[in-house]
Short mmCIF file of all heavy atoms in Angstrom, two decimals:
data_model
loop_
_atom_site.label_atom_id
_atom_site.label_comp_id
_atom_site.label_asym_id
_atom_site.label_seq_id
_atom_site.Cartn_x
_atom_site.Cartn_y
_atom_site.Cartn_z
N ASN A 71 -24.63 -58.54 -2.83
CA ASN A 71 -24.61 -59.86 -3.47
C ASN A 71 -25.97 -60.25 -4.04
O ASN A 71 -26.04 -61.05 -4.95
CB ASN A 71 -24.17 -60.94 -2.48
CG ASN A 71 -22.71 -60.83 -2.10
OD1 ASN A 71 -22.07 -59.80 -2.31
ND2 ASN A 71 -22.18 -61.88 -1.52
N LEU A 72 -27.02 -59.67 -3.46
CA LEU A 72 -28.36 -60.00 -3.92
C LEU A 72 -28.76 -59.23 -5.17
O LEU A 72 -29.64 -59.65 -5.91
CB LEU A 72 -29.38 -59.71 -2.81
CG LEU A 72 -29.29 -60.58 -1.57
CD1 LEU A 72 -30.16 -60.03 -0.46
CD2 LEU A 72 -29.69 -62.00 -1.91
N ALA A 73 -28.12 -58.10 -5.42
CA ALA A 73 -28.53 -57.22 -6.51
C ALA A 73 -28.57 -57.93 -7.86
O ALA A 73 -29.56 -57.86 -8.58
CB ALA A 73 -27.63 -55.99 -6.57
N GLN A 74 -27.49 -58.60 -8.21
CA GLN A 74 -27.41 -59.26 -9.52
C GLN A 74 -28.36 -60.44 -9.61
O GLN A 74 -29.09 -60.59 -10.58
CB GLN A 74 -25.99 -59.71 -9.80
CG GLN A 74 -25.82 -60.27 -11.20
CD GLN A 74 -24.37 -60.62 -11.50
OE1 GLN A 74 -23.47 -60.29 -10.75
NE2 GLN A 74 -24.16 -61.29 -12.61
N SER A 75 -28.39 -61.28 -8.58
CA SER A 75 -29.22 -62.48 -8.66
C SER A 75 -30.72 -62.17 -8.55
O SER A 75 -31.54 -62.98 -8.92
CB SER A 75 -28.81 -63.49 -7.59
OG SER A 75 -29.07 -62.98 -6.30
N ALA A 76 -31.06 -60.97 -8.06
CA ALA A 76 -32.47 -60.60 -7.91
C ALA A 76 -33.04 -59.90 -9.14
O ALA A 76 -34.21 -59.52 -9.15
CB ALA A 76 -32.63 -59.70 -6.68
N GLN A 77 -32.24 -59.77 -10.19
CA GLN A 77 -32.72 -59.16 -11.43
C GLN A 77 -33.68 -60.12 -12.13
O GLN A 77 -33.63 -61.33 -11.92
CB GLN A 77 -31.53 -58.84 -12.34
CG GLN A 77 -30.58 -57.81 -11.78
CD GLN A 77 -31.26 -56.49 -11.47
OE1 GLN A 77 -32.01 -55.96 -12.28
NE2 GLN A 77 -31.00 -55.97 -10.28
N PRO A 78 -34.57 -59.60 -12.99
CA PRO A 78 -35.48 -60.48 -13.73
C PRO A 78 -34.71 -61.61 -14.42
O PRO A 78 -33.68 -61.37 -15.05
CB PRO A 78 -36.13 -59.54 -14.75
CG PRO A 78 -36.09 -58.20 -14.08
CD PRO A 78 -34.78 -58.19 -13.32
N GLY A 79 -35.17 -62.81 -14.22
CA GLY A 79 -34.52 -63.99 -14.77
C GLY A 79 -33.45 -64.57 -13.87
O GLY A 79 -32.95 -65.66 -14.11
N GLY A 80 -33.07 -63.84 -12.82
CA GLY A 80 -32.05 -64.31 -11.88
C GLY A 80 -32.61 -65.34 -10.92
O GLY A 80 -33.84 -65.45 -10.75
N PRO A 81 -31.74 -66.09 -10.26
CA PRO A 81 -32.19 -67.17 -9.38
C PRO A 81 -32.96 -66.70 -8.14
O PRO A 81 -33.72 -67.48 -7.56
CB PRO A 81 -30.89 -67.87 -8.97
CG PRO A 81 -29.81 -66.88 -9.22
CD PRO A 81 -30.29 -66.01 -10.34
N THR A 82 -32.79 -65.44 -7.74
CA THR A 82 -33.53 -64.94 -6.57
C THR A 82 -34.46 -63.78 -6.93
O THR A 82 -34.82 -62.98 -6.08
CB THR A 82 -32.57 -64.49 -5.45
OG1 THR A 82 -31.74 -63.44 -5.94
CG2 THR A 82 -31.72 -65.64 -4.93
N PHE A 83 -34.86 -63.73 -8.20
CA PHE A 83 -35.76 -62.67 -8.64
C PHE A 83 -37.00 -62.62 -7.74
O PHE A 83 -37.62 -63.63 -7.46
CB PHE A 83 -36.20 -62.87 -10.09
CG PHE A 83 -37.21 -61.85 -10.56
CD1 PHE A 83 -36.84 -60.52 -10.69
CD2 PHE A 83 -38.51 -62.22 -10.82
CE1 PHE A 83 -37.74 -59.57 -11.10
CE2 PHE A 83 -39.43 -61.27 -11.24
CZ PHE A 83 -39.05 -59.94 -11.39
N GLY A 84 -37.30 -61.45 -7.24
CA GLY A 84 -38.47 -61.25 -6.38
C GLY A 84 -38.19 -61.41 -4.90
O GLY A 84 -39.09 -61.19 -4.09
N ILE A 85 -36.97 -61.77 -4.54
CA ILE A 85 -36.67 -61.99 -3.12
C ILE A 85 -36.94 -60.75 -2.28
O ILE A 85 -37.32 -60.85 -1.12
CB ILE A 85 -35.24 -62.51 -2.90
CG1 ILE A 85 -35.11 -63.07 -1.49
CG2 ILE A 85 -34.21 -61.44 -3.20
CD1 ILE A 85 -33.94 -63.98 -1.28
N ASN A 86 -36.77 -59.58 -2.88
CA ASN A 86 -37.00 -58.34 -2.15
C ASN A 86 -38.47 -58.09 -1.84
O ASN A 86 -38.80 -57.17 -1.11
CB ASN A 86 -36.40 -57.14 -2.90
CG ASN A 86 -36.91 -57.04 -4.31
OD1 ASN A 86 -36.84 -58.01 -5.07
ND2 ASN A 86 -37.37 -55.88 -4.69
N THR A 87 -39.35 -58.92 -2.36
CA THR A 87 -40.78 -58.79 -2.04
C THR A 87 -41.17 -59.72 -0.89
O THR A 87 -42.32 -59.70 -0.45
CB THR A 87 -41.65 -59.10 -3.27
OG1 THR A 87 -41.47 -60.48 -3.63
CG2 THR A 87 -41.29 -58.21 -4.44
N THR A 88 -40.23 -60.53 -0.41
CA THR A 88 -40.51 -61.45 0.69
C THR A 88 -40.23 -60.78 2.03
O THR A 88 -39.72 -59.67 2.10
CB THR A 88 -39.66 -62.73 0.56
OG1 THR A 88 -38.28 -62.39 0.76
CG2 THR A 88 -39.85 -63.39 -0.80
N ASN A 89 -40.53 -61.47 3.10
CA ASN A 89 -40.27 -60.99 4.45
C ASN A 89 -40.85 -59.59 4.67
O ASN A 89 -40.18 -58.70 5.21
CB ASN A 89 -38.76 -61.01 4.76
CG ASN A 89 -38.24 -62.41 4.86
OD1 ASN A 89 -38.34 -63.04 5.89
ND2 ASN A 89 -37.70 -62.93 3.76
N GLU A 90 -42.07 -59.41 4.19
CA GLU A 90 -42.79 -58.14 4.33
C GLU A 90 -42.00 -56.99 3.71
O GLU A 90 -42.01 -55.86 4.21
CB GLU A 90 -43.14 -57.88 5.79
CG GLU A 90 -44.06 -58.95 6.36
CD GLU A 90 -44.34 -58.80 7.84
OE1 GLU A 90 -43.91 -57.81 8.46
OE2 GLU A 90 -45.03 -59.68 8.36
N GLY A 91 -41.28 -57.27 2.63
CA GLY A 91 -40.51 -56.25 1.92
C GLY A 91 -39.25 -55.82 2.63
O GLY A 91 -38.63 -54.82 2.26
#
Side-chain angles (χ1 to χ4, degrees):
N71 290 17
L72 293 169
Q74 186 176 350
S75 65
Q77 296 302 313
T82 61
F83 176 67
I85 195 162
N86 55 308
T87 65
T88 67
N89 292 277
E90 298 175 4

